[in-house]
Each structure stands twice: as structure tokens, then as C-alpha cells.
Amino acid sequence: ENQRRISSAVSRTAAIIRIGQEEGSFRAGDPEQLAYHVIMAIGGLRSVASLAEKSNPFLRKQISIIRSLLLTEEALAQLKSEGKE
């Protein structure tokens, strides 16, 4: 059951990543592999977040890593210029 849920989440996330890649917002790479890493990272963050407050610097750093894994340099620069980093 757990493996089925993970597989389903990876498939849905990979579809979103493919769209982002086609639009040029997400980096090139295997959407399934990127999705798997994102899903596993988010799962781990959920555990950490339940133990810590949301302003935790560790959580912010992990979200930044996920963002840099997916977003192109141009998309990252745009977020920074909009103050949404």
C-alpha cells in the first residue's frame, strides 16, 4: 500500500515536472528520478516539521535545495528579483 502511494505521488509529480521542463522553468533531467527525490525529501521534511517550528533554518535550507534541484537559473533569478526566494 505504501509503495503504491509513493509510486502514484511520483507519477503525478513527474507529470508536473515534465510540464515545467517543457515551459523552460524546470531543469532538464529524468522527470521520474527528479520526482522521486522531491517526494522523498518532502516526506522527510514532514517528519522534521512536526518536530520543529516552521521558521527552522534547517527546513528553509532543505526547501532551497529542492528549489535549486528543479528550477532553472533564470527561474531562480526571477524568484529572487520578486523577493520570493
Side-chain angles (χ1 to χ4, degrees):
E1 174 63 23
N2 197 33
Q3 186 59 37
R4 186 186 63 75
R5 285 194 323 229
I6 291 171
S7 180
S8 177
V10 168
S11 293
R12 290 190 314 267
T13 305
I16 293 167
I17 291 172
R18 272 188 212 90
I19 291 168
Q21 288 172 330
E22 290 168 5
E23 292 176 349
S25 297
F26 288 177
R27 294 179 184 275
D30 180 350
E32 297 286 330
Q33 287 296 314
L34 290 168
Y36 181 80
H37 288 292
V38 169
I39 294 300
M40 292 298 107
I42 290 172
L45 288 178
R46 271 193 4 221
S47 297
V48 172
S50 68
L51 302 173
E53 51 187 75
K54 292 184 181 179
S55 63
N56 185 324
F58 174 79
L59 294 177
R60 289 178 178 264
K61 178 65 176 170
Q62 298 309 305
I63 291 168
S64 177
I65 290 169
I66 293 170
R67 186 181 296 151
S68 65
L69 173 71
L70 291 175
L71 296 177
T72 62
E73 293 299 322
E74 294 81 16
L76 287 169
Q78 182 176 353
L79 284 176
K80 189 172 185 173
S81 73
E82 294 172 358
K84 298 179 182 177
E85 55 182 334

